[in-house]
Amino acid sequence: MLRILILGGTRFLGRSVVKSLAAAGHDLTLISRRQTDVPSGVRNVCKERTVGLERLKGYHFNLVIDFICYDEENIDDIGNNVVAENYVLVSSTWVPRLWSGKCAVELPRLSVQPLGALSDVTKNYLSGKLRAELALTKLRKLGCNAVSLRLPIMLGEGDHTGRLDFYLRRFVDTGPLILVGGGNNHAQIVSMEDIAQAIILWCNKVDISRFLVWEALPGEGESVRKIIETMVTSVGAAV
């Protein structure tokens, strides 16, 4: 049994991870500003991130999984309040687009495409995640195995982003779909449920400190056309 702190974890991927860890009998504490039902036995600190961590000042955890770290200051909140043996920053496979503007499997290198290629919202989000990744050295100096887990786009039940809504509406009203480049471009998309189980196995079975950054990309991905055709078949719509 591990003593685990989850920051966020009340919806989509985080909710699935919390349910599975609770079912496995781990000692769970959850910090979230969202008042929501949690599995039996899970301590729910319903506060903003910083206030919640201050409430837990001095507590020791075998593992901290952080779904709501968006900047360097959020890393400081961890180091200033709790003692963590292992810390996982949930980041994004899109972070490398800050220096390449291309696919997430590229290794870091000098920028070959201006940051202006990204929207301001996306740029600010990814820049914050990158600053948080760089700040992980602060936790490692405190003796914590701090790593970044970069996750790709996920699809699944309870997706609050509504990524599939446009396509689903078109399946219902039989309106046309625009496929850029004929839909032959590849997308690296994963099932949320698969990622949730992978995270649990990874934390339990793997020495997560082996690498500072872990990429959770699903191989070469699949063409957008193929993904849409699979969705059509799944919902029983006409092709």
Side-chain angles (χ1 to χ4, degrees):
M1 183 182 72
L2 298 177
R3 193 176 190 188
I4 302 173
L5 172 63
I6 308 287
L7 289 98
T10 58
R11 56 184 182 178
F12 201 41
L13 175 65
R15 186 174 180 82
S16 182
V17 169
V18 167
K19 285 184 176 180
S20 294
L21 289 174
H26 294 295
D27 181 354
L28 291 184
T29 300
L30 179 67
I31 294 178
S32 175
R33 65 184 181 183
R34 292 170 55 87
Q35 184 66 52
T36 185
D37 293 333
V38 297
S40 176
V42 175
R43 287 184 293 275
N44 186 13
V45 181
C46 189
K47 297 292 181 182
E48 293 285 345
R49 176 195 180 87
T50 300
V51 176
L53 284 168
E54 290 173 348
R55 289 283 182 92
L56 299 176
K57 192 173 183 66
Y59 278 55
H60 179 279
F61 296 96
N62 303 113
L63 173 66
V64 176
I65 303 177
D66 196 343
F67 290 96
I68 53 173
C69 178
Y70 300 113
D71 213 326
E72 180 177 358
E73 289 77 10
N74 292 156
I75 297 295
D76 293 336
D77 283 340
I78 298 293
N80 292 336
N81 289 289
V82 300
V83 179
E85 294 178 20
N86 300 282
Y87 172 82
V88 177
L89 162 65
V90 177
S91 188
S92 169
T93 56
W94 275 47
V95 166
R97 297 194 180 203
L98 288 172
W99 52 77
S100 73
K102 297 185 179 179
C103 69
V105 294
E106 291 183 343
L107 296 175
R109 57 192 178 89
L110 295 177
S111 177
V112 295
Q113 185 165 330
L115 293 180
L118 300 171
S119 70
D120 288 341
V121 171
T122 300
K123 188 190 328 182
N124 291 337
Y125 170 78
L126 295 178
S127 296
K129 285 291 189 182
L130 180 58
R131 288 192 295 271
E133 288 188 1
L134 296 174
L136 291 179
T137 55
K138 297 180 180 181
L139 295 183
R140 288 194 287 271
K141 289 179 180 178
L142 296 175
C144 171
N145 293 323
V147 300
S148 173
L149 174 61
R150 292 180 180 165
L151 299 181
I153 293 174
M154 293 171 285
L155 300 179
E157 183 179 354
D159 182 4
H160 56 282
T161 66
R163 291 186 180 97
L164 297 181
D165 288 354
F166 171 77
Y167 296 110
L168 293 175
R169 287 197 298 269
R170 286 296 173 266
F171 298 161
V172 173
D173 64 23
T174 67
L177 288 174
I178 298 175
L179 297 180
V180 178
N184 294 318
N185 55 309
H186 278 221
Q188 292 169 300
I189 298 175
V190 297
S191 161
M192 178 274 289
E193 291 83 2
D194 288 347
I195 284 291
Q197 293 307 310
I199 288 175
I200 293 165
L201 289 173
W202 174 63
C203 291
N204 284 329
K205 304 294 185 180
V206 178
D207 175 10
I208 65 173
S209 65
R210 280 182 58 199
F211 303 104
L212 303 182
V213 176
W214 292 78
E215 296 275 4
L217 288 169
E220 296 299 320
E222 187 59 86
S223 72
V224 172
R225 175 179 287 276
K226 180 64 175 179
I227 291 171
I228 292 175
E229 289 175 350
T230 301
M231 290 168 54
V232 169
T233 302
S234 298
V235 300
V239 178

